[in-house]
Amino acid sequence: MVKATTTQQDWVDAAYSAFLADGLAAVRVEPLARVLGATKGSFYWHFADRAALVGAVVERWEAQETDAVIALAEAGGTPAQRLEALFGAVARMRRTPATALLYTQAAAEGVGDAVRRVSQRRVDYLAGLLVELGHGPDEARRRSLVALATVLGLQQLEHVGLDALDDPGLVPTALAMVLAEPLSRP
Amino acid sequence: MVKATTTQQDWVDAAYSAFLADGLAAVRVEPLARVLGATKGSFYWHFADRAALVGAVVERWEAQETDAVIALAEAGGTPAQRLEALFGAVARMRRTPATALLYTQAAAEGVGDAVRRVSQRRVDYLAGLLVELGHGPDEARRRSLVALATVLGLQQLEHVGLDALDDPGLVPTALAMVLAEPLSRP
DNA sequence: ACCTGAACACCGTTCAAGT
DNA sequence: ACCTGAACACCGTTCAAGT
């Protein structure tokens, strides 16, 4: 039995695949219509415009990010173990163009809010760990912000051809930088 | 005396302004033609295609970046003073959307090489300072890579609405993280 | 209710024709 | 040598018309 109609889900599924492969810019109505064997007119029955589809894609991304953070938090262990697990996950993450592209595309595509919420959640989780490890709340927040920025920046460098994530000594270095005691400045 | 013709320089100037304001995506032939009071046909006399204009824009950006690094290096002082100056410059840099957008757009726009060269030069400069400050070359390179990534990532977070660079304690924190002695891991 | 097909706008690209 | 203006392709968007 062949599917009779193209559902809203079909559009989001196809758009999400395109997003994972090539970022939000790849979420385009006409090419997706070709992939789905539908017309653009069909798309505009299910969605108000392209922005609505982009919104649905980012909503799905946000939900999966939230699940991932919760899974990390529930994995348990000591704060130090959870920090190790977090850095391990980051080290394994590597080349996912979608995420590397997302932050700069977010504002232009009108989904900056969702990306900001996800970022905040990540910073909060890491800051919680650092507080458990004995840092003060302000210092913990700053270090977490810097750590997230580092991960995002390394993905960008990777994306531009600097094989930053290949260096096996880099993640330990970053870990040390996040954990280290603050220096008194000269 | 009114200028008779639209020169190649005029196109690059207009394109560079658009780039500084809104990133490479804003380098578009037809809107620039409107701004310059010329036709698209005129553009295609001076340039092979839009990619050539984007290339010229990034070339100018690369040249100015190089000048900036050289100026920093020639400023002199002790390595610690130069490091302070570098972080001060970064702290003052703040909201330049163009740079924040550039890294993710670079690959798609075919100018990844120029961006990679600029990144490499920045890392090399900082790593040199860290070596002068007593770090080993590998550790210095890793810390420099992480530091550049941090700056790029903070720009992205800023761009998405997390007021990361507003926190006055953040740059000292980042400085401490770059300078700190490596930890032995647990 | 859901879709097609044609239309229009926007921008990249080409090119014959003008000066 | 340099430019105009019209044409085409691509994709977002609208809509009358079909089932």
Side-chain angles (χ1 to χ4, degrees):
Chain A
M1 146 171 43
V2 186
K3 96 172 136 35
T5 65
T6 308
T7 69
Q8 204 165 338
Q9 272 303 314
D10 293 333
W11 284 101
V12 178
D13 289 346
Y16 197 68
S17 296
F19 160 66
L20 290 182
D22 298 305
L24 283 182
V27 176
R28 282 178 304 165
V29 177
E30 194 170 274
L32 290 174
R34 272 197 294 269
V35 167
L36 292 169
T39 62
K40 299 187 277 182
S42 163
F43 171 82
Y44 284 94
W45 171 259
H46 293 291
F47 298 88
D49 50 23
R50 177 181 170 277
L53 182 59
V54 169
V57 164
V58 173
E59 211 169 289
R60 181 177 295 189
W61 171 78
E62 186 177 2
Q64 294 188 349
E65 271 303 317
T66 303
D67 290 350
V69 167
I70 289 173
L72 268 177
E74 286 176 344
T78 69
Q81 284 169 339
R82 280 152 66 202
L83 196 63
E84 284 277 351
L86 182 60
F87 271 75
V90 169
R92 258 173 280 108
M93 170 192 309
R94 314 228 154 196
R95 333 177 185 289
T96 62
T99 316
L101 297 166
L102 187 54
Y103 276 77
T104 42
Q105 294 176 338
E109 297 277 16
V111 293
D113 281 7
V115 175
R116 202 195 54 253
R117 283 193 298 274
V118 167
S119 305
Q120 194 63 64
R121 214 169 289 135
R122 289 167 166 176
V123 169
D124 291 345
Y125 174 73
L126 180 54
L129 288 185
L130 292 183
V131 166
E132 289 192 74
L133 285 166
H135 281 86
D138 281 4
E139 185 70 17
R141 169 159 298 275
R142 286 188 195 117
R143 281 173 185 272
S144 302
L145 210 46
V146 171
L148 174 56
T150 303
V151 171
L152 298 176
L154 286 175
Q155 283 177 346
Q156 283 191 88
L157 289 176
E158 192 80 19
H159 200 252
V160 106
L162 236 94
D163 303 310
L165 295 175
D166 277 346
D167 182 341
L170 200 119
V171 170
T173 296
L175 181 61
M177 287 170 67
V178 171
L179 284 173
E181 292 300 313
L183 279 191
S184 55
R185 303 176 76 207
Chain B
M1 147 173 37
V2 185
K3 98 175 137 32
T5 64
T6 308
T7 70
Q8 205 166 338
Q9 272 301 316
D10 293 333
W11 283 101
V12 178
D13 289 346
Y16 196 68
S17 296
F19 161 66
L20 289 182
D22 298 305
L24 284 182
V27 177
R28 282 177 303 165
V29 178
E30 195 169 273
L32 289 175
R34 273 196 294 269
V35 167
L36 292 170
T39 61
K40 300 187 279 183
S42 164
F43 171 82
Y44 284 95
W45 170 259
H46 293 290
F47 298 89
D49 50 22
R50 178 181 169 276
L53 182 58
V54 169
V57 165
V58 172
E59 210 169 289
R60 181 177 295 190
W61 171 78
E62 186 177 2
Q64 295 190 348
E65 272 303 317
T66 303
D67 290 351
V69 167
I70 288 171
L72 269 176
E74 286 176 344
T78 70
Q81 284 169 338
R82 281 153 66 204
L83 196 64
E84 284 277 349
L86 182 60
F87 271 74
V90 169
R92 259 174 280 107
M93 169 193 312
R94 315 228 152 194
R95 332 178 186 291
T96 63
T99 317
L101 295 166
L102 186 55
Y103 276 76
T104 42
Q105 293 175 339
E109 298 278 15
V111 293
D113 280 8
V115 175
R116 201 195 56 253
R117 283 193 299 271
V118 167
S119 305
Q120 193 64 63
R121 215 169 289 137
R122 290 167 167 177
V123 169
D124 290 345
Y125 174 72
L126 180 54
L129 288 185
L130 293 183
V131 166
E132 290 192 75
L133 285 166
H135 281 86
D138 282 3
E139 185 71 17
R141 169 159 299 274
R142 284 185 197 121
R143 281 173 185 272
S144 303
L145 209 48
V146 171
L148 173 57
T150 303
V151 171
L152 299 176
L154 286 175
Q155 282 177 345
Q156 283 190 88
L157 290 175
E158 193 81 17
H159 201 252
V160 104
L162 236 94
D163 304 309
L165 295 175
D166 278 344
D167 183 340
L170 200 119
V171 169
T173 297
L175 182 61
M177 286 169 69
V178 170
L179 285 173
E181 292 302 313
L183 280 190
S184 55
R185 303 177 75 209

